[in-house]
Amino acid sequence: MSERLSVLKTYKLYVGGKFPRSESGRVYEVSDSKNNWLANAPLSSRKDARDAVVAARKAFGGWSGATAYNRGQVLYRVAEMLEGRRDQYVAEVAGAEGLSKPKAAAQVDAAIDRWVWYAGWTDKIAQVVGGGNPVAGPFFNLSTPEPTGVVAILAPQKSSFLGLVSVIAPVIATGNTAVVVASEKSPLPALSLGEVLATSDLPGGVVNILSGRTAEIAAPLAAHQDVNAIDLAGADETLAKELEIAAADNLKRVLRPQPVDNADWSATPGTDRMTAFLETKTVWHPTGALGASGSSY
C-alpha cells in the first residue's frame, strides 16, 4: 500500500462568521522556534481591517442586547469546544512558542479555564461596578455598565493562546464586539480559534480575527472612526505611541498595559480588562415622595 499524502491545513481569516482569504491574496510564512516552516498565514490588508470593523459593528446590536446570562452560556460553549480540540491546540502552541508538550498543555488548559472564568462573570460584573447612588433629593439614582462598542485588540506577541484568550474573552463577555490582530510571529492558534468560534453559539461578527503585520493592520484600526476602543497588548513602545495618537482623533478608549507585552498571562486576571471597555449609564427617577411631609402616591 502506497504511503498517503498528508492533508496540509489552509489557514484563513475569520471575519463576519466566515473564513475569507485576505482580499490582497497575500500570505506569509509562519515558522516554529527552530525556523522550521509550519504554514502559510494570510497577510491581511487595510481592506480586511475595514471589513472586520463593518462585521463587528453589524454584530454589536444583537450581542450587546443579549442577556448577560445568555452571553455566559455562549462563552461556556466556547470552552466546551476548546476542550474537545485540546490536542490540536497543544500541538499548535508547542510549535508556536517552542514549548514542550507538557508546558504547552498547561498553557492550553489555563486558556480553557479562563474562558470558563469569564463566562461566570458575564452576569455578575454589573453588580460589582454598578448600583444605587445616594443623592440629595427624592430620586432613585442608578448606575449601570454598558459595553463601549467595537474594540480593536492587538493580541500579545509572545503568548499565542493564553494571552490571546485573556484579551478576547473579557471584551466580549461584557457585550462588546472585537477585531483581533493575531500575534504576527505565531498567528496559527488564533486562526484556529476562529474555527471554534464559528462552530460554537457565538454570532458571526462578534469576534473577527486577522493575521499579518501588526503595525500594518493596527494603523487603520486605530484611526478608524467606527472603532470605539483599542487594546494595545501586542504593540511595542514605539507602535503603541503612534497608535495612541491616531486613536485620539475620535477619543477612543485606549488600554496600554505597562510594561508593554510583558504581562504574566498565567496570573489571575481580575476584572480590569472587563471594566476597561465599559461605559457607565446613570439614570435618575423620582421616588414618588410629595413635599416635606414624605407622603407618596
Side-chain angles (χ1 to χ4, degrees), residues 55 61-62 82 103 106 188 238 240 277 291:
L82 288 173
K103 289 184 177 180
L188 303 188
T238 302
F277 302 114

Side-chain angles (χ1 to χ4, degrees), residues 236-251:
D236 59 29
E237 289 283 357
T238 302
L239 178 59
K241 184 175 181 180
E242 294 174 358
L243 297 178
E244 280 184 308
I245 294 171
D249 193 44
N250 76 330
L251 303 180

Side-chain angles (χ1 to χ4, degrees), residues 50-134:
R50 292 195 297 270
D51 289 345
V53 173
V54 170
R57 178 57 63 191
K58 185 176 180 181
F60 177 69
W63 183 242
S64 62
T67 65
Y69 178 74
N70 177 247
R71 288 199 297 269
Q73 289 179 308
V74 172
L75 263 68
Y76 188 83
R77 175 62 176 164
V78 173
E80 288 181 348
M81 302 292 288
L82 288 173
E83 186 78 29
R85 298 177 65 165
R86 178 179 179 275
D87 291 345
Q88 173 194 344
Y89 283 100
V90 169
E92 288 186 333
V93 171
E97 300 181 28
L99 300 176
S100 65
K101 285 295 177 68
K103 289 184 177 180
Q107 292 283 304
V108 173
D109 289 344
I112 296 171
D113 292 347
R114 188 141 300 172
W115 272 110
V116 176
W117 193 83
Y118 278 114
W121 267 107
T122 56
D123 59 355
K124 300 173 183 66
I125 189 65
Q127 282 70 47
V128 173
V129 299
N133 308 309

Side-chain angles (χ1 to χ4, degrees), residues 12 22 57 70 74 87 167 221 249 265 277 281-282 289 295:
K12 297 181 181 179
S22 172
R57 178 57 63 191
N70 177 247
V74 172
D87 291 345
V167 294
L221 290 175
D249 193 44
W265 298 108
F277 302 114
K281 178 177 72 176
T282 300
S295 60

Side-chain angles (χ1 to χ4, degrees), residues 8 12 18 20 24 30 34 53 60 78 92 112 140 153 172 181 202 213 224 244 254 259 272 279 284:
L8 297 179
K12 297 181 181 179
K18 299 180 181 179
S24 67
V30 177
K34 297 180 180 178
V53 173
F60 177 69
V78 173
E92 288 186 333
I112 296 171
F140 295 116
I153 303 172
I172 65 172
V181 181
L202 192 74
R213 309 301 180 207
H224 202 297
E244 280 184 308
V254 177
D272 289 352
E279 308 285 348
W284 294 71

